[in-house]
Amino acid sequence: MAEIKVLFATSEVAPLIKTGGLADVSGALPAALRAIGVDVRVLVPGYNQVMSQLANHQVVATFDDLPGFPSSRLLFGTMANDVPVYVLDCASLYQRGGGPYQDSNGHDWADNAQRFGLLSQVAAVLGSRASPLTWHPDLVHCNDWQTGLTPAYLHFAQESAPSVMTVHNLAFQGIFPSEMLENLHLPPSCFSIDGVEYFGNLSFLKAGLFYADHITTVSPNYAQEIQQEALGFGMQGLLSTRSASLTGILNGIDTDEWNPATDPHLAKTYSSAHMSGKAACKVALQRKLGLNLEPAVPLLGVVSRFTHQKGLDLLLEIAPRLTELPVQLAMLGTGDAQMQKTARDLAHRYPGQIGVVVGFDEGLSHQIEAGADMFVMPSRFEPCGLNQLYSQRYGTPPIVHATGGLVDSVVDCTAATLKDGTASGFTFDGETVENLFNTIQRAVGLYHDTRQWEALRCNCMAKNFSWKNSAAAYRAVYLKVLGQQD
Ligand code: ADP
Ligand code: GLC
């Protein structure tokens, strides 16, 4: 059977540009798919950060006459992990300061509909007869709202490839005024409940969910949750009608990038057979964040966007009580201005016990995974979550709200799960401050039982979260959509 060719369209890909887990997935999944014989190529916008890292690329196409969009070029190169990448170069839309979606003050770019309309349109052109390339994908794999219009464009194009739409986070939908429809050159007929319309507006994500041939989400549990009102963000009806074409596949992790035995960011590397390096990482982290050097006090780690989704407000609320347990807190994140301020104020009020770094720091994120004793994620919802996977690999049991992919990846520690060797962290139902506090207290109780704690850490480190199985599951979805047998 011929190799399947897949265009993987995404708005961020590590290490070129990253704001969150989508970049990690876009960086690692294509490589894992290539390893099992799928010819995947990535398409990403040419933001400043991407353009400055490109080496040895060639111009392979120019688009001068896409109605409603400025001229753009397609550059072709290879990423450090050997995955081929098409970079959509359109300086007026992508080359500016700030981030991919927002300016440096945290406001969405006013022209996001056009910016991601172009990305979606070019992905569809490459997947249709109109493509100027000699490489023709059999299928276009879209990710989140930024590429949500691609399945719609493909639907209306001639001789076009089918599409798969992956939902990484249903909370972000790409909603714009209905008048944009004309600028984006979609037929007026698609502005309907059976189309791209969402409560009177245009929704990029809904376009993807409606027109894609298959939908995937980043964990099996989240695939169920988004069909219910509580976490369906208004899409639960549509998603339920599409449930036969909806598959949940748990994200994997890049086990080379996230490996405590080789991680160059760590003060000392370690493995489950030689754990002394982990204690050295704790000391290094405590020093870096100005925390007291008390080996017996458990250190809780957090690396997160500071948003309502992540439930960090709950953790900040109980932080003073936590210092009395006692535990120390090491927090890294950016986001909501008020949460950032509260976190910084706490660090001032509890010097030596709470350390906070506001910013985006890849190295420090690894150091927290390694140096902390436990990792906290009180997310209100979590499509998959990657940090709980990293923390288990680093022998840092996660404490998580039982939601989304956290349920699929963390086994609560009980007498039974400790005994059968499956326990890998602590989960709690209901995202209340009391439940969070009680669960942290439960974890701290076990921490002081050294033998049990070591067993728990060992279980965590023995788990396999590599992309291998998940990549095979994506390949199975591609085959199904293409109507091919293995
Ligand atoms: P989400 O994509 O919803 O933010 P995930 O858990 O899937 O959540 O992925 C978040 C990714 O971004 C992880 O790789 C995490 O380490 C990283 N990350 C989040 N905030 C920061 C930060 N402030 N500095 C460095 N890395 C961060
Ligand atoms: C989103 C979700 C997160 C998921 C990530 C990668 O950002 O919030 O839970 O892990 O996408 O799929």
Side-chain angles (χ1 to χ4, degrees):
M1 191 187 60
E3 203 176 42
I4 313 172
K5 296 194 282 297
V6 175
L7 180 70
F8 191 93
T10 181
S11 58
E12 48 183 282
V13 55
L16 299 180
I17 174 82
K18 167 167 166 175
T19 72
L22 171 60
D24 292 18
V25 173
S26 303
L29 172 58
L33 282 162
R34 290 185 73 83
I36 54 170
V38 182
D39 176 10
V40 186
R41 301 185 181 191
V42 171
L43 171 69
V44 68
Y47 314 110
N48 281 343
Q49 300 89 326
V50 172
M51 299 300 283
S52 64
Q53 290 178 70
L54 269 189
N56 301 325
H57 59 270
Q58 327 149 233
V59 179
V60 288
T62 50
F63 301 105
D64 291 326
D65 45 14
L66 294 178
F69 295 109
S71 293
S72 59
R73 304 188 306 171
L74 202 60
L75 314 178
F76 183 62
T78 307
M79 293 197 291
N81 60 1
D82 287 337
V83 173
V85 61
Y86 292 105
V87 173
L88 180 55
D89 177 20
C90 182
S92 64
L93 293 185
Y94 305 128
Q95 287 187 48
R96 44 179 85 164
Y101 319 119
Q102 298 180 328
D103 63 22
S104 37
N105 296 319
H107 299 121
D108 287 353
W109 293 113
D111 54 355
N112 270 349
Q114 205 189 23
R115 297 173 72 236
F116 296 108
L118 178 65
L119 176 65
S120 296
Q121 168 76 272
V122 166
V125 169
L126 299 184
S128 66
R129 194 173 67 185
S131 174
L133 303 183
T134 50
W135 182 83
H136 292 283
D138 301 305
L139 186 145
V140 182
H141 186 155
C142 309
N143 294 278
D144 274 354
W145 74 265
Q146 294 87 350
T147 50
L149 289 190
T150 302
Y153 285 128
L154 285 168
H155 177 83
F156 294 108
Q158 289 193 333
E159 288 179 34
S160 56
S163 57
V164 170
M165 179 83 221
T166 295
V167 180
H168 296 263
N169 195 336
L170 203 61
F172 300 107
Q173 304 194 344
I175 299 203
F176 300 99
S178 58
E179 299 80 65
M180 289 303 305
L181 201 68
E182 205 181 320
N183 301 346
L184 292 166
H185 283 263
L186 281 165
S189 64
C190 72
F191 194 70
S192 121
I193 186 153
D194 289 325
V196 306
E197 187 265 352
Y198 179 78
F199 296 106
N201 288 312
L202 158 67
S203 162
F204 274 45
L205 182 65
K206 185 175 168 205
L209 299 179
F210 185 81
Y211 289 107
D213 293 275
H214 201 95
I215 302 166
T216 70
T217 67
V218 288
S219 70
N221 189 37
Y222 192 60
Q224 297 307 316
E225 288 175 342
I226 58 176
Q227 296 180 54
Q228 317 289 324
E229 191 177 346
L231 292 181
F233 288 94
M235 301 288 185
Q236 61 275 10
L238 170 58
L239 287 162
S240 305
T241 62
R242 301 225 51 199
S243 63
S245 307
L246 170 60
T247 309
I249 302 174
L250 191 70
N251 283 334
I253 63 175
D254 183 330
T255 47
D256 293 330
E257 183 66 27
W258 294 92
N259 183 356
T262 56
D263 192 332
H265 299 294
L266 306 190
K268 200 148 188 255
T269 55
Y270 60 93
S271 64
S272 51
H274 299 99
M275 284 297 278
S276 63
K278 186 158 172 59
C281 290
K282 179 170 177 178
V283 172
L285 180 61
Q286 286 173 318
R287 284 220 167 90
K288 190 162 184 171
L289 297 189
L291 298 170
N292 301 333
L293 298 185
E294 293 168 324
V297 175
L299 174 52
L300 285 184
V302 177
V303 179
S304 182
R305 290 186 285 116
F306 285 4
T307 62
H308 183 77
Q309 173 193 343
K310 301 290 178 181
L312 283 197
D313 47 317
L314 306 174
L315 187 69
L316 294 172
E317 196 178 327
I318 58 166
R321 283 165 72 197
L322 291 176
T323 60
E324 288 162 20
L325 278 175
V327 300
Q328 295 182 349
L329 258 181
M331 299 184 72
L332 165 66
T334 51
D336 181 86
Q338 185 54 49
M339 284 191 207
Q340 290 182 176
K341 182 174 178 315
T342 309
R344 281 192 171 121
D345 289 351
L346 282 165
H348 282 126
R349 264 174 59 205
Y350 298 95
Q353 290 178 285
I354 299 182
V356 171
V357 174
V358 171
F360 200 91
D361 185 335
E362 192 71 37
L364 182 56
S365 74
H366 288 241
Q367 289 153 10
I368 292 179
E369 293 288 6
D373 294 299
M374 309 158 188
F375 196 90
V376 199
M377 293 177 75
S379 307
R380 291 193 165 82
F381 64 94
E382 195 63 80
C384 178
L386 297 173
N387 282 301
Q388 82 283 9
L389 308 179
Y390 301 145
S391 78
Q392 287 173 77
R393 181 148 167 87
Y394 280 63
T396 308
I399 300 170
V400 304
H401 177 218
T403 183
L406 301 175
V407 171
D408 291 321
S409 55
V410 181
V411 178
D412 189 37
C413 186
T414 62
T417 57
L418 265 177
K419 192 155 177 244
D420 69 19
T422 55
S424 69
F426 302 85
T427 71
F428 60 95
D429 291 318
E431 75 274 27
T432 65
V433 285
E434 277 321 304
N435 290 350
L436 174 61
F437 183 80
N438 292 340
T439 310
I440 294 176
Q441 205 170 24
R442 179 157 68 92
V444 169
L446 196 87
Y447 175 82
H448 293 298
D449 181 336
T450 312
R451 229 165 43 90
Q452 300 270 44
W453 192 258
E454 276 172 9
L456 178 64
R457 280 200 316 209
C458 252
N459 295 349
C460 288
M461 295 179 84
K463 287 179 83 163
N464 179 0
F465 291 117
S466 84
W467 268 106
K468 200 160 170 249
N469 293 340
S470 302
Y474 276 102
R475 183 170 174 275
V477 167
Y478 298 157
L479 288 172
K480 184 174 172 198
V481 169
L482 294 170
Q484 292 182 16
Q485 300 285 326
D486 215 350

